[in-house]
Amino acid sequence: LDKYKDFVFIETRGGMSALNQKIITSADILVVCINQNRAVLETFFNSCSVSGKKIFLVIGNYDREQTVSVKNIRSKYSMLNSKNSGVIPHNASFADALNEGKLMRWMSVNANSDKKDVNYPFIKEVDLVAKKLLELNRLGKGGK
């Protein structure tokens, strides 16, 4: 796959099955999507050993008002910083478009939203996560 594409995303089921182990050991970057649940975060960080791997943590359905904020998560788990983690905020409008099969239309309407738009924080964070992943990939390939 490396020969033909710069990015290949493979979604796996949770857990450490034999297949997951093979995927993890061959991945350049592990993108872990997780929620703000303290118990889930602790279980992940206490049981997952992926030393030497680049990890990018995406906190989905993010609510900045929760005490388990991205700032608190980064300070508790020293392996995380602003370069290898990001958030995707909760957005009911996006979820509705996804559920109703209207995602492409929603994206075309909201992709260039400005700060006055209600969907701007969501679009801004999705864009930021994508840029951080591109940069992590670039650095992993010897880029400066």
Side-chain angles (χ1 to χ4, degrees):
L1 291 173
D2 285 338
K3 183 178 176 181
Y4 299 104
K5 298 292 178 189
D6 292 331
F7 272 105
V8 177
F9 286 88
I10 300 172
E11 183 176 0
T12 67
R13 299 183 103 177
M16 300 305 282
S17 68
L19 177 60
N20 282 2
Q21 288 292 339
K22 285 182 181 183
I23 292 170
I24 288 169
T25 56
S26 64
D28 295 325
I29 301 170
L30 298 176
V31 179
V32 178
C33 301
I34 203 160
N35 62 35
Q36 286 174 275
N37 181 300
R38 183 175 282 120
V40 171
L41 286 161
E42 287 178 7
T43 298
F44 172 74
F45 283 104
N46 291 333
S47 66
C48 186
S49 174
V50 287
S51 59
K53 284 288 180 186
K54 287 186 183 175
I55 292 183
F56 191 90
L57 189 80
V58 178
I59 305 166
N61 204 27
Y62 184 73
D63 180 351
R64 66 187 180 120
E65 301 298 322
Q66 287 190 29
T67 57
V68 183
S69 67
V70 69
K71 180 181 175 184
N72 291 338
I73 293 167
R74 286 175 182 153
S75 67
K76 182 168 183 166
Y77 303 104
S78 60
M79 67 176 287
L80 295 178
N81 56 57
S82 63
K83 293 180 180 179
N84 69 354
S85 58
V87 301
I88 304 294
H90 174 75
N91 184 294
S93 174
F94 173 81
D96 286 344
L98 190 61
N99 285 324
E100 295 167 6
K102 298 178 181 177
L103 184 58
M104 296 307 288
R105 185 177 190 304
W106 189 92
M107 288 301 294
S108 67
V109 168
N110 291 287
N112 295 314
S113 61
D114 61 25
K115 291 181 180 182
K116 295 177 272 181
D117 192 303
V118 69
N119 293 315
Y120 176 77
F122 177 83
I123 296 295
K124 179 182 145 203
E125 292 296 338
V126 169
D127 185 55
L128 185 57
V129 163
K131 286 177 179 172
K132 288 179 181 183
L133 273 170
L134 287 170
E135 180 64 11
L136 192 61
N137 184 57
R138 187 180 70 79
L139 291 174
K141 295 189 184 289
K144 296 183 183 193

